[in-house]
Amino acid sequence: MTMLVVFLVGFLGLASAGKHDIYAGYTVHGVVIDSLAAQHLLHQLESDFDLDTLQDGAPPDRDAYIMVTPGNNEAFLKKLDENGVKHYVVESNVPRSLEEFDADMMRFHRSRAGREAQPFEYYPRHDEVNEYLEKIAAEYPDLVSLVTAGPSYDGREIKYVKISTTNFEDASKPIYFMDAMIHAREWVTTPVSLYSIHRLVVDRREEDEDLLEGTDWIIYPVVNPDGYEFSHTDERLWRRTRSTNPNPDTECRGADGNRNFDVAFNTTTGVSSNPCSQQYVGAGPFSEVETRYIRDVLHEYLPRIQVYLNIHSHGNWVLFGFGNRTLPANGVQLHHVGAVMGAAIDAVKLPQAPFYRVGNSAMLLYPTSGSAQDYAQHIGVPFSYTLELPGYSYAFQVPVTYIGQITSETWVGIAAQARLAKLHYNDRIRT
Ligand SMILES: *[C@@H]1O[C@H](CO)[C@@H](O)[C@H](O)[C@H]1NC(C)=O
Ligand SMILES: *[C@@H]1O[C@H](CO)[C@@H](O)[C@H](O)[C@H]1NC(C)=O
């Protein structure tokens, strides 16, 4: 017995010691963004120093978290110093912080041993997500239809659900379409989508009946399963898809799905044509099969989709188009509906989370092109948003114990947003 324990401990120790070695020597720095100049400088340095932005900064008081490779560390910090931009160390040992996150997950699963946890209470693997969707569709056939979008690049079945009391046939109802996990490392996004299904179908509450009766829902929990699984098995901080690049000169795989949509494709800063960059646009617009599936859902239901919510982690932002700083024609309503969502969440947030900030994504954060948010807005979805959930100080490694807070507070925001957007839909179908 003792032998076995020693063996197991040794084995687990070895396994976890190696798991995140790819990040050995990487460090994470907080960069104080107290001015637009500091924000611009950081964006310029991103490609020069191969920086990975774990948290976007915004003036006057939101610091950026930047991960830098051991080779670029010194030169990057020197550049910040030369320009008078303040910085501090957030994480000097990235592998260790990832191991702590893993240990936290294991503790959660051990503490739940024997009791069935719901997949929106932890970080379910892609198979578990599909099993959950299948189970819900089988148990609630009058409300839920399961749809298979098709295989991912690596052949995983991508599934989503449609939820409707009228079999999606009543055109007087708006559709609310949300998706999650376009960026692989943003793990907390999928539980938010699964919890929304739970609240609409399983845990139906009197006060929310209008949401189910008056709106149809499309909930798409994992846009990028290949990247998501890879972030579980190989690189925890993987962001992109996993397609093979057609250019034989590069071994870098995947594209940033949220730069791959056919809207002003590959035109601004905030995108990269370097196949190894985190913001790589891809070989062409919709080169990634995973973004094509989202495009197809948007077009299939376009006349009725009133809200599109592309869920990300993290930073407490409700963002809208366009990524080139031009506001859509309905900019005021877009801001209003987004602000109602943010304020509803703020009312029930944890004290350590910042208040949501709401606005145009290029003005608040940085210019982008080819984003899901912009594509949906551009083709005619009136209320198209990027939501950045809270990360507290954990960036992408939000401990499991916070998931319940994030899913339930976000549901409050989604509900408020859906109700207000529905009022606008009544105007839309009257005219
Ligand atoms: C993106 O734009 C850059 C700069 O104009 C160009 O070199 C590159 O080929 C473009 N990439 C794609 C996939 O269109
Ligand atoms: C900004 O992008 C939107 C969507 O692609 C486009 O309709 C608009 O004309 C662009 N604005 C400018 C100034 O290029």
Side-chain angles (χ1 to χ4, degrees):
M1 180 65 193
T2 320
M3 278 296 287
L4 182 67
V5 170
V6 170
F7 173 76
L8 275 178
V9 168
F11 177 75
L12 290 174
L14 273 180
S16 63
K19 176 141 191 229
H20 302 296
D21 278 358
I22 181 167
Y23 300 108
Y26 282 60
T27 46
V28 179
H29 301 271
V31 179
V32 177
I33 304 297
D34 51 8
S35 65
L36 276 174
Q39 194 179 27
H40 288 157
L41 175 76
L42 196 55
H43 288 151
Q44 276 165 17
L45 300 182
E46 254 166 16
S47 59
D48 298 353
F49 295 111
D50 193 18
L51 304 177
D52 190 354
T53 302
L54 306 187
Q55 171 170 303
D56 293 302
D61 58 355
R62 292 213 179 169
D63 297 355
Y65 283 7
I66 304 294
M67 186 166 78
V68 57
T69 63
N72 283 324
N73 191 32
E74 206 181 309
F76 167 59
L77 297 181
K78 188 159 163 259
K79 257 290 191 279
L80 294 180
D81 290 336
E82 281 168 10
N83 288 277
V85 176
K86 295 192 203 68
H87 56 86
Y88 52 93
V89 175
V90 170
E91 184 54 67
S92 58
N93 188 335
V94 173
R96 191 189 55 204
S97 76
L98 297 174
E99 281 156 26
E100 279 163 13
F101 173 79
D102 291 346
D104 173 71
M105 278 210 305
M106 275 161 72
R107 266 194 304 276
F108 171 83
H109 287 289
R110 267 201 308 272
S111 75
R112 300 297 298 234
R115 272 177 303 150
E116 205 185 331
Q118 303 273 1
F120 48 81
E121 295 174 320
Y122 58 98
Y123 293 118
R125 299 292 289 265
H126 184 239
D127 283 348
E128 294 176 88
V129 173
N130 279 352
E131 278 163 29
Y132 181 72
L133 300 183
E134 282 155 18
K135 178 175 142 234
I136 294 290
E139 283 175 15
Y140 298 89
D142 295 343
L143 278 181
V144 182
S145 5
L146 181 66
V147 187
T148 300
S152 68
Y153 185 85
D154 284 336
R156 294 185 173 88
E157 288 290 301
I158 301 180
K159 298 183 187 222
Y160 63 93
V161 290
K162 299 193 298 182
I163 300 172
S164 172
T165 54
T166 45
N167 199 28
F168 255 71
E169 282 158 5
D170 183 351
S172 73
K173 293 184 184 181
I175 294 174
Y176 188 119
F177 174 24
M178 75 172 84
D179 65 34
M181 198 67 77
I182 192 168
H183 287 151
R185 61 196 182 184
E186 300 173 7
W187 284 12
V188 80
T189 60
T190 291
V192 166
S193 66
L194 297 179
Y195 182 74
S196 302
I197 297 172
H198 175 73
R199 284 296 297 270
L200 284 166
V201 177
V202 183
D203 183 11
R204 285 168 68 170
R205 301 186 191 174
E206 190 75 41
E207 71 269 21
D208 282 350
E209 275 306 293
D210 62 316
L211 295 173
L212 189 59
E213 295 290 337
T215 297
D216 285 348
W217 298 77
I218 301 174
I219 303 186
Y220 196 124
V222 183
V223 176
N224 172 17
D226 297 345
Y228 181 51
E229 281 298 306
F230 191 72
S231 74
H232 274 274
T233 55
D234 288 76
E235 292 184 30
R236 173 64 182 85
L237 298 176
W238 189 262
R239 167 180 163 105
R240 305 179 305 173
T241 57
R242 291 289 302 157
S243 57
T244 306
N245 197 290
N247 179 350
D249 295 337
T250 180
E251 289 187 352
C252 289
R253 291 183 68 167
D256 182 341
N258 206 27
R259 304 289 182 274
N260 188 241
F261 284 70
D262 190 7
V263 56
F265 179 77
N266 188 31
T267 55
T268 59
T269 55
V271 302
S272 173
S273 39
N274 169 5
C276 298
S277 156
Q278 292 286 31
Q279 282 83 30
Y280 174 52
V281 293
F286 290 124
S287 58
E288 307 310 289
V289 66
E290 293 84 4
T291 58
R292 294 201 292 274
Y293 293 147
I294 298 301
R295 172 197 67 188
D296 293 347
V297 175
L298 285 167
H299 285 281
E300 185 173 357
Y301 301 103
L302 188 56
R304 289 180 52 209
I305 298 180
Q306 185 70 353
V307 180
Y308 171 62
L309 188 72
N310 183 239
I311 308 176
H312 291 255
S313 156
H314 56 101
N316 294 79
W317 305 95
V318 181
L319 304 169
F320 51 82
F322 290 107
N324 56 8
R325 299 177 78 96
T326 302
L327 289 174
N330 67 335
V332 172
Q333 291 96 322
L334 202 49
H335 197 113
H336 182 207
V337 172
V340 162
M341 174 183 218
I345 302 174
D346 283 343
V348 291
K349 76 179 184 65
L350 294 180
Q352 63 266 45
F355 289 106
Y356 266 90
R357 279 190 193 159
V358 181
N360 173 273
S361 57
M363 293 185 207
L364 291 182
L365 293 181
Y366 46 76
T368 51
S369 55
S371 69
Q373 155 209 291
D374 275 9
Y375 185 76
Q377 189 76 45
H378 177 67
I379 63 170
V381 174
F383 295 99
S384 177
Y385 299 96
T386 304
L387 179 71
E388 297 276 1
L389 300 167
Y392 309 111
S393 56
Y394 301 100
F396 306 110
Q397 294 99 262
V398 179
V400 183
T401 39
Y402 288 95
I403 295 177
Q405 170 68 29
I406 294 178
T407 56
S408 59
E409 72 174 32
T410 308
W411 174 251
V412 172
I414 290 169
Q417 178 199 34
R419 288 193 174 100
L420 185 53
K422 181 177 165 61
L423 297 182
H424 287 290
Y425 185 72
N426 296 343
D427 296 340
R428 180 178 165 194
I429 55 177
R430 258 201 301 274
T431 51

